[in-house]
Amino acid sequence: MSQPQPACLSDPTEQASELDVSSFTGPTGHAVLDHKGRLLSANSQLAELLGHAPPATGTLDPFKLAIDDRSATELAHALAEADVTHLDITFTDGARRHVQLGRLQACRRLLLVTRAGETIASNDRIEQDALTGLANRHRLNEALSGLEAERALRQSRSGTNAVDEGKTAILLIDIDHFKQINDTLGHAIGDSLLRLVSGRLRRVTRERDDLIRIGGDEFLLILPADESSDDAEKLADRIAELLSRPFLVDGQQINIGVSIGIAVFDDATADGPTLLQHADLALQQAKLTGRNRACSFEPQMAQQAMRRRALEIDMRRAMALQQFRLVYQPQVDLHSGRLVGFEALLRWEHPERGMVSPAEFIPIAEETGEIRRIGAWVILQACQQASFWPDGLSVAVNVSPLQFDDGKLLQHVRTALSRSGLDPERLEVEVTEGLLFHNPEAALEQLTELRELRVDIAMDDFGTGYASLSHLSRFPFTKVKIDQSFVRGAVDDRTQALVDCIIGLGNSLGMKTLAEGVETPEQYQRLQDSGCDAVQGYLVSRPMEADSIADFLIHDTGQLPAGDAAA
Ligand code: C2E
Ligand code: MG
Ligand code: MG
């Protein structure tokens, strides 16, 4: 390869910080060349891309066998240039590959070659997202490989593996419920919103941060190594705050939340793709813990994700292997002190892991869609078991928002009622407020039909999320369940005022109120004084096995003070 003569002064300090890319993993071929085109180090992916044995260190023209003369001249010129250059080079096998050349030090060039299988026609390799004008995912691999190179360089500079400067951090930003916005307001509005979101993201980022739109509503922000992870967290909070301010699209006000996963490129992170995976795990965690928040990656998240995947696989067989069962927790009327029914709670007895909590496996079942099969079984099983109880006792069944999606809920309820012979008035369906946001129209229609069957409907865990008072009046609820967080532990004046308010509201809307998580006689008394209708909690009993109910009915009822007696 003949090359123009660059002005390159030998810098002794650079000799100590030679970058070795041979251990670089990831899909991209890496090479470090000097200004004359002499190979200083390369990783094995590069050899694969070149289609021949790895060129030896010091080889003057390491691409000789793989590229044609014209490309060789082009590359030589590029090597002499100081700045980042992108080239599409025709290799002798006929394929065009994308080569990015960057300057590491005055006399060192870093070469990144994309994997042959990923080679794309050059006009497809437009690295700008047409909608937002941000970089798009074609830039992603490159950016991640660049991070690897940058980290290795810093490590070699510091002479040890310890990185004494700040560390590169990435932020993976995802708009909560974006699909819903697209579905309900239309794609044109969704697109405008994405443009506005990217505009606001640009405002909080600086020139040297890399901002990439990597998917529909997913953005990646790369913060260079001069910032600490603390700064990344602060920035994530600022982004969340900025994006939570209302957007005005086509005269409509839209409010969104974002979930953000943060990952830091530390010594324990193998490579760029692993870094991205960490950010993704942190993002999943942010979503699982209520969305509209930022989470930083922690190593145990990888184990949790593995456990989730293992549970996901085992759950598919759990039903056939009869590992599910229902336990029942009593509900007591505060006016009479008498037992009025039970809530059915699902249990999974895993052969190796023991009892898996529904708080853990229901979200997984919802994600995989398995909840539909399990949910149908729960309704049937609860109705059949309740049909053996004395007439006055009802059974409450938890139903996931996803069970409203396929329009089969009504059918499952009807089948369960007819097969068990249970009076519909003795069945209560508990829904969480997620339903009211997930698909409100379908929810309203099916809840109304359930009411027509004379099945009761309870709003579960009221007060913990976004459901407002107006939601209570718009949907045909017959009961509000006050969440245990308002009941358990020390209850301050404000919380008590809130509980009083929910009870008052329930009364005025003609709904029953039931407080969950009642553990002490004081809590029981306070709720009774507030005019609450019913309670459920460890004070009365923990959830019990179906075959313990008969015993419970004989021995344990009538022990709690009735409202009149207490007054
Ligand atoms: P939930 O419907 O709000 O059920 C109440 C949860 O609080 C139950 O936990 C119950 O055991 C617990 N609990 C009751 N009284 C007390 C108390 O006094 N103190 C304390 N600390 N806890 C109390 P569990 O059984 O672990 O269920 C957790 C959640 O899992 C349920 O919350 C419900 O959202 C969901 N779940 C349970 N079974 C099903 C089901 O069959 N289908 C669906 N979709 N979700 C279910
Ligand atoms: Mg419940
Ligand atoms: Mg609840």
Side-chain angles (χ1 to χ4, degrees):
M1 200 187 290
S2 70
Q3 66 286 313
Q5 292 304 307
C8 183
L9 302 170
S10 165
D11 176 357
T13 60
E14 285 185 1
Q15 304 309 312
S17 53
E18 200 72 86
L19 169 65
D20 182 4
V21 293
S22 57
S23 61
F24 280 15
T25 53
T28 305
H30 281 79
V32 178
L33 308 178
D34 70 12
H35 63 288
K36 289 185 176 156
R38 207 175 358 228
L39 184 71
L40 299 179
S41 71
N43 64 351
S44 55
Q45 288 86 326
L46 185 83
E48 256 175 61
L49 288 160
L50 296 181
H52 58 69
T57 307
T59 308
L60 186 56
D61 195 356
F63 294 92
K64 190 164 59 195
L65 294 173
I67 59 178
D68 59 27
D69 286 345
R70 229 190 77 209
S71 302
T73 315
E74 216 182 322
L75 186 60
H77 277 283
L79 279 171
E81 298 287 333
D83 291 317
V84 175
T85 316
H86 295 262
L87 297 170
D88 276 321
I89 289 187
T90 306
F91 281 59
T92 40
D93 63 5
R96 278 174 80 74
R97 282 174 199 136
H98 181 60
V99 176
Q100 189 193 343
L101 255 165
R103 200 175 88 128
L104 276 178
Q105 294 149 300
C107 300
R108 298 287 179 269
R109 304 286 179 261
L110 175 69
L111 228 122
L112 306 173
V113 184
T114 51
R115 189 195 286 274
E118 288 169 5
T119 307
I120 339 154
S122 57
N123 58 348
D124 283 350
R125 202 189 36 72
I126 297 165
E127 293 185 346
Q128 207 178 31
D129 170 45
L131 183 68
T132 61
L134 299 179
N136 65 18
R137 64 174 312 128
H138 290 313
R139 181 62 204 119
L140 185 63
N141 275 350
E142 216 172 76
L144 294 178
S145 304
L147 292 184
E148 287 175 24
E150 198 186 288
R151 181 180 67 169
L153 182 64
R154 279 186 293 121
Q155 284 175 341
S156 64
R157 263 206 204 116
S158 68
T160 66
N161 264 351
V163 178
D164 48 7
E165 305 164 36
K167 294 181 179 102
T168 303
I170 63 173
L171 265 58
L172 192 57
I173 305 159
D174 185 281
I175 303 176
D176 296 334
H177 307 295
F178 182 70
K179 186 180 175 299
Q180 219 167 301
I181 295 171
N182 252 344
D183 289 350
T184 52
L185 302 175
H187 287 257
I189 297 232
D191 283 357
S192 305
L193 181 67
L194 286 172
R195 269 195 291 268
L196 293 173
V197 165
S198 56
R200 285 194 194 173
L201 284 174
R202 268 206 201 97
R203 265 171 40 204
V204 286
T205 55
R206 293 135 336 144
E207 190 99 34
R208 60 182 188 275
D209 303 334
D210 235 332
L211 182 58
I212 303 173
R213 179 177 173 224
I214 59 170
D217 61 337
E218 232 175 39
F219 300 86
L220 183 74
L221 181 59
I222 301 178
L223 307 171
D226 56 357
E227 292 170 66
S228 70
S229 62
D230 269 3
D231 290 330
E233 282 174 11
K234 274 192 213 130
L235 182 63
D237 288 342
R238 208 158 74 233
I239 289 174
E241 193 278 320
L242 193 66
L243 295 181
S244 71
R245 297 186 197 165
F247 289 88
L248 198 65
V249 184
D250 243 9
Q252 287 199 63
Q253 183 176 314
I254 301 177
N255 292 299
I256 59 164
V258 286
S259 299
I260 303 176
I262 306 169
V264 175
F265 207 8
D266 56 16
D267 298 338
T269 315
D271 51 21
T274 309
L275 178 69
L276 187 62
Q277 205 182 1
H278 287 175
D280 197 39
L281 285 167
L283 175 65
Q284 300 313 321
Q285 186 67 22
K287 286 187 184 170
L288 280 174
T289 47
R291 297 175 190 263
N292 198 15
R293 54 188 305 244
C295 263
S296 288
F297 171 75
E298 283 159 28
Q300 78 268 16
M301 286 177 191
Q303 282 136 31
Q304 282 163 2
M306 269 163 61
R307 181 177 156 94
R308 272 177 79 86
R309 264 196 298 278
L311 287 179
E312 208 179 292
I313 293 165
D314 294 345
M315 201 185 294
R316 289 194 204 115
R317 296 175 303 163
M319 183 84 90
L321 297 174
Q322 301 188 334
Q323 291 167 356
F324 290 120
R325 65 172 194 278
L326 291 176
V327 292
Y328 296 90
Q329 187 174 36
Q331 299 178 329
V332 166
D333 182 278
L334 280 173
H335 308 291
S336 65
R338 296 183 72 88
L339 178 76
V340 284
F342 292 87
E343 176 178 4
L345 294 159
L346 190 56
R347 294 291 177 265
W348 179 11
E349 184 88 56
H350 190 286
E352 288 111 38
R353 298 171 195 269
M355 193 71 84
V356 186
S357 158
E360 182 176 18
F361 73 78
I362 297 278
I364 303 175
E366 288 179 333
E367 216 165 88
T368 59
E370 197 69 14
I371 191 69
R372 296 198 178 90
R373 238 157 39 97
I374 301 173
W377 175 84
V378 168
I379 296 169
L380 179 62
Q381 180 76 356
C383 288
Q384 282 180 329
Q385 290 183 324
S387 68
F388 294 107
W389 304 342
D391 269 354
L393 297 180
S394 60
V395 65
V397 177
N398 292 282
V399 171
S400 155
L402 264 98
Q403 291 174 259
F404 284 79
D405 274 0
D406 59 4
K408 292 200 180 134
L409 179 67
L410 256 289
Q411 186 190 317
H412 292 145
V413 169
R414 277 203 194 93
T415 308
L417 289 171
S418 74
R419 281 177 60 182
S420 63
L422 188 78
D423 180 349
E425 286 179 5
R426 291 176 60 197
L427 175 64
E428 183 174 70
V429 163
E430 289 190 11
V431 298
T432 49
E433 52 189 34
L435 174 72
L436 313 183
F437 297 95
H438 181 71
N439 189 350
E441 282 79 30
L444 181 60
E445 194 183 309
Q446 293 175 66
L447 290 177
T448 308
E449 284 172 334
L450 279 173
R451 279 302 296 138
E452 281 163 8
L453 286 181
R454 291 182 293 124
V455 170
D456 281 340
I457 301 158
M459 159 99 272
D460 202 357
D461 305 337
F462 186 72
T464 50
Y466 297 106
S468 65
L469 307 181
S470 76
H471 284 106
L472 275 190
S473 60
R474 277 216 332 264
F475 292 84
F477 296 114
T478 48
K479 185 187 280 176
V480 192
K481 295 188 79 174
I482 303 168
D483 189 68
Q484 34 184 292
S485 56
F486 302 110
V487 177
R488 276 164 48 201
V491 171
D492 59 25
D493 289 350
R494 290 169 73 103
T495 310
Q496 185 56 45
L498 210 71
V499 170
D500 289 342
C501 170
I502 300 174
I503 293 170
L505 183 85
N507 284 339
S508 61
L509 290 172
M511 295 170 193
K512 295 257 174 227
T513 50
L514 180 147
E516 297 189 80
V518 177
E519 294 180 348
T520 65
E522 294 73 38
Q523 291 161 355
Y524 183 95
Q525 182 66 56
R526 200 169 49 230
L527 288 158
Q528 205 167 43
D529 294 345
S530 298
C532 188
D533 294 312
V535 290
Q536 181 182 337
Y538 293 172
L539 176 70
V540 181
S541 166
R542 289 187 178 244
M544 64 185 84
E545 300 294 333
D547 55 15
S548 305
I549 289 181
D551 232 26
F552 179 81
L553 293 178
I554 296 166
H555 296 110
D556 290 62
T557 47
Q559 288 180 353
L560 290 156
D564 295 342

